[in-house]
């Protein structure tokens, strides 16, 4: 890859992922960029091309097998994206290993088990909304869109209440792609300590939760789930399991409060909440860019671009979901678009296991919020909302509303 020069360096803070995606799209459907640490990777900006690659067996997520730079030791342990690439779980697995690891946790996210969570999600939603009645201004992220998903996922995995604030801080740092090497190393240490404490608690007092179930699977089926795989699987499911839903809820609030004509469609029944959730996922996917994938062999794209064997690939859901070749008026927020083919949850073997749970939470929380507070509106100009410091997580640091 040294013979090819990246056309741009991605903004580590992700200050404007859509403007960045628009600029990259002008260079083609696959654009070589520089990630933090001057690591080169192909950004895929075209919807059809990304959808194809996500399901292509010639594309791996395992750096140990298919990323020469990783195998040569060129990626330092304090690289800001190390928590996304250096883990040992189904997120970075390929082939039979991926099938084994995904099979261990997929039982927890069957349609029946997800639907069984509906009463509890409804209860948590009401408990969070009740104290807001009578308040004139509130940070809705702190009061509602963050505590709801974290309550659901931590209950699902049996995380004790006294550990939840600590978990929140760790996950926020994992998604902060502008972190310094020192901050990255400190986060890794804190994450390891947190997971060790959680696992030890569940060893001593197993319960009816997914952490206990994974421990049982590891203990009862030798060589099915190693210690590192167990820890990395837990942080993947707990961390990604709530961060994506936090962003989905927050982006829906922003979209609906800044598009009154679309909100009116919901009020009159001309559009429904399914359309609102899916259009939010397309227009502002919870994850803007997802690292990393690797070419198992040379891959020639439709436009003649060749992604060489061993090249890294960054899936840009933000770019693909606003691809004007696929979606007419792609930058417009339109509840009647009916775009269920968006890529907010990925596609292919690594399609997000928690997609059904995220959708269920949104379908319960958003109608409840807007029905309880029909006059809900932003307390600041939308331009004043600060995005999270990440080109992966597509959310806001706070969400002040009236």
């Amino acid at each position: 890859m040294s013979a090819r020069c990246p056309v741009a360096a991605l903004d580590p803070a992700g200050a404007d992922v859509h403007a960045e995606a628009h600029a990259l799209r002008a260079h083609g459907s696959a654009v070589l960029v520089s990630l933090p640490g001057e690591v080169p990777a192909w950004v895929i900006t075209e919807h059809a091309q990304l959808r194809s690659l996500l399901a292509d067996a010639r594309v791996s997520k395992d750096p140990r097998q298919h990323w020469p730079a990783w195998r040569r030791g060129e990626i330092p342990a304090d690289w800001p994206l190390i928590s996304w690439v250096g883990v040992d779980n189904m997120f970075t697995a390929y082939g039979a290993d991926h099938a084994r690891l995904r099979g261990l946790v997929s039982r927890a996210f069957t349609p029946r088990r997800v639907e069984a969570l509906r009463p509890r999600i409804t209860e948590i939603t009401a408990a969070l909304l009740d104290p807001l009645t009578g308040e004139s201004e509130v940070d809705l992220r702190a009061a509602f869109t963050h505590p709801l998903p974290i309550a659901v996922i931590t209950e699902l995995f049996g995380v004790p209440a006294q550990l939840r604030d600590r978990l929140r801080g760790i996950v926020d740092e994992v998604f902060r792609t502008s972190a310094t090497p020192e901050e990255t190393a400190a986060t890794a240490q804190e994450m390891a300590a947190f997971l060790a404490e959680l696992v030890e608690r569940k060893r001593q007092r197993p319960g009816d939760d997914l952490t206990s179930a994974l421990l049982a699977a590891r203990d009862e089926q030798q060589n099915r789930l190693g210690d590192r795989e167990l820890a990395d699987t837990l942080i993947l499911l707990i961390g990604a399991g709530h961060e994506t839903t936090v962003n989905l809820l927050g982006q829906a609030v922003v979209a609906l409060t800044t598009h009154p004509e679309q909100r009116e469609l919901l009020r009159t029944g001309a559009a429904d909440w399914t359309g609102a959730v899916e259009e939010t996922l397309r227009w502002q996917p919870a994850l803007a860019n997802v690292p990393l994938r690797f070419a198992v062999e040379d891959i020639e794209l439709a436009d003649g671009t060749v992604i060489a064997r061993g090249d890294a690939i960054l899936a840009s859901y933000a770019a693909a979901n606003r691809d004007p070749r696929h979606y007419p008026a792609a930058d417009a927020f339109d509840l009647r678009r009916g775009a269920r083919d968006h890529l907010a949850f990925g596609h292919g073997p690594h399609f997000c296991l928690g997609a059904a749970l995220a959708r269920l939470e949104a379908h319960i929380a958003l109608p409840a919020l807007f029905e309880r507070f029909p006059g809900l509106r932003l307390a600041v100009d939308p331009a004043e909302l600060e995005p999270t410091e990440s080109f992966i997580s597509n959310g806001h640091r706070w969400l002040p509303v009236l």
Side-chain angles (χ1 to χ4, degrees), residues 32-45:
L32 193 63
V33 303
S34 179
L35 301 180
E38 298 185 353
V39 173
W42 292 95
V43 170
I44 310 302
T45 64

Side-chain angles (χ1 to χ4, degrees), residues 228-261:
R228 173 71 183 274
E229 290 175 332
L230 172 64
D232 288 352
T233 295
L234 285 171
I235 199 62
L236 167 67
L237 295 173
I238 297 172
H242 84 263
E243 179 73 12
T244 50
T245 310
V246 172
N247 292 345
L248 167 57
L249 297 178
Q251 293 290 8
V253 170
V254 174
L256 290 170
T257 53
T258 56
H259 293 79
E261 77 289 351

Side-chain angles (χ1 to χ4, degrees), residues 205-235:
R205 289 189 172 184
D208 184 19
D209 58 74
L210 295 188
T211 302
S212 299
L214 286 172
L215 272 169
R218 196 280 308 277
D219 294 339
E220 294 170 6
Q221 304 177 47
Q222 292 299 315
N223 301 320
R224 289 282 291 168
L225 191 66
D227 287 344
R228 173 71 183 274
E229 290 175 332
L230 172 64
D232 288 352
T233 295
L234 285 171
I235 199 62

Side-chain angles (χ1 to χ4, degrees), residues 44-375:
I44 310 302
T45 64
E46 183 181 29
H47 184 281
Q49 187 64 77
L50 180 55
R51 183 180 176 89
S52 175
L53 286 175
L54 292 177
D56 195 325
R58 298 173 298 169
V59 177
S60 167
K61 295 197 75 176
D62 187 349
R64 295 166 292 276
Q65 292 189 64
H66 301 118
W67 196 18
W70 182 270
R71 292 162 59 187
R72 291 193 297 262
E74 297 172 5
I75 307 300
D78 56 5
W79 186 45
L81 301 183
I82 200 74
S83 296
W84 293 87
V85 177
V87 290
D88 190 3
N89 56 31
M90 65 181 181
F91 186 78
T92 58
Y94 177 72
D97 276 341
H98 176 256
R100 172 179 62 88
L101 292 167
R102 189 176 176 99
L104 283 170
V105 297
S106 60
R107 294 187 295 272
F109 295 96
T110 62
R112 178 177 295 181
R113 290 203 67 169
V114 170
E115 181 59 30
L117 295 171
R118 181 182 292 274
R120 181 60 182 141
I121 297 172
T122 301
E123 183 180 359
I124 294 170
T125 297
L128 291 169
L129 291 179
D130 285 346
L132 304 185
T133 302
E135 295 290 331
S136 58
E137 182 174 343
V138 66
D139 176 3
L140 201 62
R141 187 183 193 277
F144 184 64
T145 66
H146 187 280
L148 170 60
I150 203 168
V152 173
I153 203 71
T154 52
E155 286 189 13
L156 193 59
F157 281 86
V159 178
Q162 59 267 36
L163 295 183
R164 292 178 188 178
D165 284 344
R166 186 175 165 196
L167 171 65
R168 172 181 178 175
I170 293 171
V171 173
D172 285 348
E173 285 300 301
V174 167
F175 278 91
R176 190 165 68 90
T177 49
S178 61
T180 65
E182 294 77 16
E183 290 169 334
T184 299
T187 298
Q189 291 181 345
E190 178 65 12
M191 183 193 306
F194 169 84
L195 291 171
E197 182 174 348
L198 175 62
V199 168
E200 184 57 29
R201 283 172 178 261
K202 291 302 171 182
R203 283 189 201 280
Q204 296 180 10
R205 289 189 172 184
D208 184 19
D209 58 74
L210 295 188
T211 302
S212 299
L214 286 172
L215 272 169
R218 196 280 308 277
D219 294 339
E220 294 170 6
Q221 304 177 47
Q222 292 299 315
N223 301 320
R224 289 282 291 168
L225 191 66
D227 287 344
R228 173 71 183 274
E229 290 175 332
L230 172 64
D232 288 352
T233 295
L234 285 171
I235 199 62
L236 167 67
L237 295 173
I238 297 172
H242 84 263
E243 179 73 12
T244 50
T245 310
V246 172
N247 292 345
L248 167 57
L249 297 178
Q251 293 290 8
V253 170
V254 174
L256 290 170
T257 53
T258 56
H259 293 79
E261 77 289 351
Q262 297 298 312
R263 190 167 165 183
E264 181 66 9
L265 295 177
L266 286 171
R267 191 190 68 79
T268 62
D272 58 24
W273 282 103
T274 295
V277 170
E278 298 306 319
E279 180 65 352
T280 298
L281 288 165
R282 183 202 68 84
W283 193 64
Q284 290 284 14
L287 300 182
N289 301 285
V290 177
L292 276 177
R293 287 169 165 82
F294 314 98
V296 175
E297 59 185 71
D298 290 359
I299 301 173
E300 183 173 356
L301 306 184
D303 64 0
T305 300
V306 176
I307 299 178
R309 177 182 177 181
D311 282 2
I313 301 168
L314 182 72
S316 180
Y317 297 161
N321 278 359
R322 292 201 188 186
D323 181 359
R325 291 160 292 194
H326 190 78
Y327 297 111
D331 288 329
F333 180 69
D334 182 0
L335 299 190
R336 293 184 287 190
R337 187 185 298 272
R340 290 297 296 261
D341 63 345
H342 61 73
L343 299 175
F345 292 119
H347 179 65
H350 285 273
F351 180 81
C352 177
L353 268 179
L357 178 57
R359 284 182 165 119
L360 178 62
E361 290 180 59
H363 276 280
I364 293 171
L366 292 172
L369 172 68
F370 282 93
E371 287 170 12
R372 181 78 69 93
F373 305 109

